[in-house]
Amino acid sequence: MALISFNQVFLAYGHVALLDHCDFAVEEQERIGLIGRNGTGKSSMLKIIAKLEKPDDGEVQRQLGIQIAYVAQEPLLDGSQTIFESASMGLSEVKRARDEYLSGDESADLDKLQTLIEAQDGWNWEQRVDETLQRLRLDPNQRVSELSGGMKKRVALAQALVSRPEVLLLDEPTNHLDMDAIVWLEDLLLGFKGSVITISHDRAFLNRTVTRIVELDRGRLLSYPGNFEAYRLQKEEQLVQESVINAKADKLLAQEEVWVRKGVEARRTRSQSRIGRLQALRSERASRRDVVGRVRLDISNAQNSGKIVAELEGVYKSFGQGDAKRIIVDNFSTTILRGDKIGIIGPNGAGKTTLLKIILGQLEADAGKVRLGSQLEVAYFDQMRDQIDLDATLEDTISPGSEWVEVNGRRTHVKSYLSDFLFSPSRAMSPVRTLSGGERNRLLLARLFAKPANVLVLDEPTNDLDIDTLDLLEDVLAQFKGTVFLVSHDRAFLDNVVTSTLVNEGPGRWREYEGSVQDWITQSERAAQWALTRDGASTQATSAPTAAQAAQATATTSAATLVKEPKKKLSYKEQRERDGLPNTIAQLEAEHGTATAQLDNGNLFASDVALATQLTQRLLEIDDALLEALKRLETLGG
């Protein structure tokens, strides 16, 4: 039996049906990814499941006694509480029952209270909270007001998990989480014993965690078994079939409309059935909800900047004094060229925004040199998010004091420009505060792209954007001729846009990697494996004489120890190969050191891009060759 089921559930806001007589079921240990355009009603659907809202019609069935926990997109927490107190709110009912049971109140129904306490293991609720906080790596004594957005999400998750739910509902859980926290959350959900319904637009997250995709599309709930990649393939096939069916129906309707206009023939009694079919076709066409149009993005390009956008040499930046001193950037050098698309990666609080401001000359470094390029026109996404006036209309937000917007020399009416971002003309005079989170982000992108720029700085642009808009934004940024700085924790989005990454590898330590996020991960794993193998070979080499001396000393005291396991004798060819490997390894390490030194300060990318690219490729080849040589040496007993 299903844990939760919808039977012809209907929900509408105004004249638009968000859930149009939908059927839906959640089975045990299912992990469902709920996706769909912004504003389609996904959050409302979760709230109906969590009993926070009621449908207009239809029936929602839940298993008797089922425990459901809901984590909102923006959880409301009491900042004055400790993390332990806040997490305990998830057990408020059982805490109240235990307190009432222990109060000795004669009017209380002790049997009922005892049943509730034992059913939810209420006698040990403090231990349950402690175990959950330890699992989520949270300090129980820390104040909620001191936490970052990502840590507050963990506290909200702790509130949900302490109740040991059979169904966990998560609304955009990856927003405000850094990459390490997202991977941690993925592992947590993969080990969760109950069922999960997650609203998310993070494609990499959905790919790894879900067993089924459910799409809320034009009031219908469509189910696709498998992860996000499997959904994409099935969805493409479905849309093709739908377009063919609709085209045939439209053609038939057009033919029948021509026939009925002939007049006399259509009025014969024997043709009444045909007229009935025509009316049915008209009704079907009128009720059809076509695929919602795609956002049309077009960036307003400024004149080209200089070839070098920014050049940093030995940059140092810190905040605070003494024990409270915090190093943000330590001896960092790089060169940013026109057309680079750079992803900036690091945990929350690492200083990504600070590094960006130093690169763009908006913040002065404590030490080192920063040289900015010429003719820079910077459009900054995060600044615009902070400056938005919630009481302003959509029209005034895009083009204050004017009805026209000019993009790449083309003059467009502001209502038409807004329609490119899926805002109907009737909403142009609505205040910004009436928009959902995803719609606000879409509006900010519209405002950003209306400003001529040759440098785009996008600080977490993917939060709340639906998948279709993300796909299109990726395409536009890939084709943008200027320079892009992208701060994001969306791995799929970064992979599809950036050409290099700046990665935080510890307090103040930043390192540049060529390629996408996946390239950075591959290079990091290769470097770690190489260091581990090299250290292992070094330890083996230094410990070998000691072992030989011990064996010799033992041999002088006992003839029995001279009987040893015979070693496999190497062939002449293998002997020569083993003798030559240390010299090969030394040459490779020397070449690696020389190439690294040439690339370290980033100047080579400005003076000779071809040589810099060649050296970068050679470094990858050296890493592979070193690993192979070290493994071979170990096999041959070197």
Side-chain angles (χ1 to χ4, degrees), residues 383-398:
Q383 283 180 345
M384 298 172 75
R385 191 182 311 180
D386 293 339
Q387 294 169 2
I388 194 167
D389 181 0
L390 296 180
D391 294 317
T393 65
L394 275 61
E395 193 170 290
D396 286 340
T397 300
I398 297 298

Side-chain angles (χ1 to χ4, degrees), residues 354-391:
T354 300
L355 176 62
L356 260 177
K357 289 181 176 179
I358 292 172
I359 292 173
L360 297 172
Q362 298 174 355
L363 186 65
E364 191 174 342
D366 298 339
K369 296 179 181 179
V370 178
R371 183 166 70 91
L372 293 179
S374 59
Q375 299 176 327
L376 298 184
E377 295 283 345
V378 182
Y380 207 115
F381 183 78
D382 191 59
Q383 283 180 345
M384 298 172 75
R385 191 182 311 180
D386 293 339
Q387 294 169 2
I388 194 167
D389 181 0
L390 296 180
D391 294 317

Side-chain angles (χ1 to χ4, degrees), residues 248-373:
K248 287 181 178 178
D250 291 343
K251 185 177 179 181
L252 179 59
L253 176 60
Q255 289 173 345
E256 295 299 283
E257 292 286 6
V258 170
W259 169 81
V260 81
R261 282 178 176 79
K262 290 181 180 179
V264 176
E265 185 182 352
R267 285 194 291 271
R268 292 176 185 167
T269 306
R270 61 185 176 168
S271 301
Q272 289 306 305
S273 61
R274 192 168 178 183
I275 292 175
R277 184 176 67 176
L278 172 61
Q279 291 171 341
L281 285 168
R282 284 173 175 170
S283 177
E284 182 185 329
R285 182 65 187 88
S287 64
R288 185 196 304 166
R289 293 174 66 178
D290 291 324
V291 177
V292 181
R294 294 189 72 193
V295 177
R296 291 190 288 276
L297 302 181
D298 191 12
I299 300 177
S300 185
N301 288 286
Q303 61 178 330
N304 286 342
S305 65
K307 183 177 180 181
I308 294 179
V309 172
E311 193 171 23
L312 282 67
E313 186 177 342
V315 167
Y316 176 88
K317 182 68 181 177
S318 66
F319 294 107
Q321 300 291 331
D323 293 340
K325 185 175 182 179
R326 186 161 159 261
I327 299 173
I328 304 298
V329 184
D330 188 9
N331 192 29
F332 178 65
S333 301
T334 190
T335 300
I336 310 296
L337 301 178
R338 182 179 67 228
D340 284 350
K341 295 178 175 61
I342 299 169
I344 301 180
I345 299 171
N348 292 330
K352 299 186 291 293
T353 302
T354 300
L355 176 62
L356 260 177
K357 289 181 176 179
I358 292 172
I359 292 173
L360 297 172
Q362 298 174 355
L363 186 65
E364 191 174 342
D366 298 339
K369 296 179 181 179
V370 178
R371 183 166 70 91
L372 293 179

Side-chain angles (χ1 to χ4, degrees), residues 196-496:
V196 182
I197 305 177
T198 307
I199 296 175
S200 180
H201 300 130
D202 186 326
R203 292 154 293 181
F205 175 81
L206 290 171
N207 249 348
R208 187 170 178 224
T209 58
V210 306
T211 57
R212 176 161 64 112
I213 293 286
V214 173
E215 182 182 20
L216 182 50
D217 180 25
R218 293 163 281 168
R220 301 173 299 166
L221 287 173
L222 307 173
S223 182
Y224 304 86
N227 63 7
F228 185 76
E229 284 303 320
Y231 151 77
R232 271 224 151 122
L233 296 172
Q234 295 173 72
K235 182 66 176 179
E236 286 176 11
E237 186 177 339
Q238 176 208 322
L239 286 176
V240 169
Q241 291 175 351
E242 185 178 313
S243 65
V244 170
I245 292 169
N246 287 343
K248 287 181 178 178
D250 291 343
K251 185 177 179 181
L252 179 59
L253 176 60
Q255 289 173 345
E256 295 299 283
E257 292 286 6
V258 170
W259 169 81
V260 81
R261 282 178 176 79
K262 290 181 180 179
V264 176
E265 185 182 352
R267 285 194 291 271
R268 292 176 185 167
T269 306
R270 61 185 176 168
S271 301
Q272 289 306 305
S273 61
R274 192 168 178 183
I275 292 175
R277 184 176 67 176
L278 172 61
Q279 291 171 341
L281 285 168
R282 284 173 175 170
S283 177
E284 182 185 329
R285 182 65 187 88
S287 64
R288 185 196 304 166
R289 293 174 66 178
D290 291 324
V291 177
V292 181
R294 294 189 72 193
V295 177
R296 291 190 288 276
L297 302 181
D298 191 12
I299 300 177
S300 185
N301 288 286
Q303 61 178 330
N304 286 342
S305 65
K307 183 177 180 181
I308 294 179
V309 172
E311 193 171 23
L312 282 67
E313 186 177 342
V315 167
Y316 176 88
K317 182 68 181 177
S318 66
F319 294 107
Q321 300 291 331
D323 293 340
K325 185 175 182 179
R326 186 161 159 261
I327 299 173
I328 304 298
V329 184
D330 188 9
N331 192 29
F332 178 65
S333 301
T334 190
T335 300
I336 310 296
L337 301 178
R338 182 179 67 228
D340 284 350
K341 295 178 175 61
I342 299 169
I344 301 180
I345 299 171
N348 292 330
K352 299 186 291 293
T353 302
T354 300
L355 176 62
L356 260 177
K357 289 181 176 179
I358 292 172
I359 292 173
L360 297 172
Q362 298 174 355
L363 186 65
E364 191 174 342
D366 298 339
K369 296 179 181 179
V370 178
R371 183 166 70 91
L372 293 179
S374 59
Q375 299 176 327
L376 298 184
E377 295 283 345
V378 182
Y380 207 115
F381 183 78
D382 191 59
Q383 283 180 345
M384 298 172 75
R385 191 182 311 180
D386 293 339
Q387 294 169 2
I388 194 167
D389 181 0
L390 296 180
D391 294 317
T393 65
L394 275 61
E395 193 170 290
D396 286 340
T397 300
I398 297 298
S399 183
S402 172
E403 292 185 354
W404 300 91
V405 178
E406 190 167 317
V407 179
N408 291 329
R410 191 179 73 253
R411 201 159 176 255
T412 307
H413 195 278
V414 67
K415 284 186 171 66
S416 177
Y417 182 71
L418 281 168
S419 69
D420 288 344
F421 290 81
L422 302 185
F423 295 108
S424 64
S426 62
R427 300 185 69 186
M429 300 307 294
S430 302
V432 174
R433 67 173 63 255
T434 62
L435 303 181
S436 67
E439 288 173 326
R440 287 184 194 181
N441 261 18
R442 214 161 62 220
L443 180 69
L444 289 170
L445 286 175
R447 180 175 166 183
L448 176 79
F449 292 161
K451 177 183 177 182
N454 51 36
V455 177
L456 288 179
V457 182
L458 304 175
D459 196 345
E460 292 293 355
T462 62
N463 284 352
D464 303 319
L465 290 183
D466 58 53
I467 290 168
D468 285 346
T469 307
L470 285 177
D471 287 341
L472 194 59
L473 182 56
E474 288 172 356
D475 294 340
V476 170
L477 292 179
Q479 294 168 20
F480 179 58
K481 295 178 181 178
T483 307
V484 177
F485 294 95
L486 180 58
V487 179
S488 178
H489 303 304
D490 188 322
R491 292 154 292 177
F493 186 78
L494 284 166
D495 270 338
N496 293 333

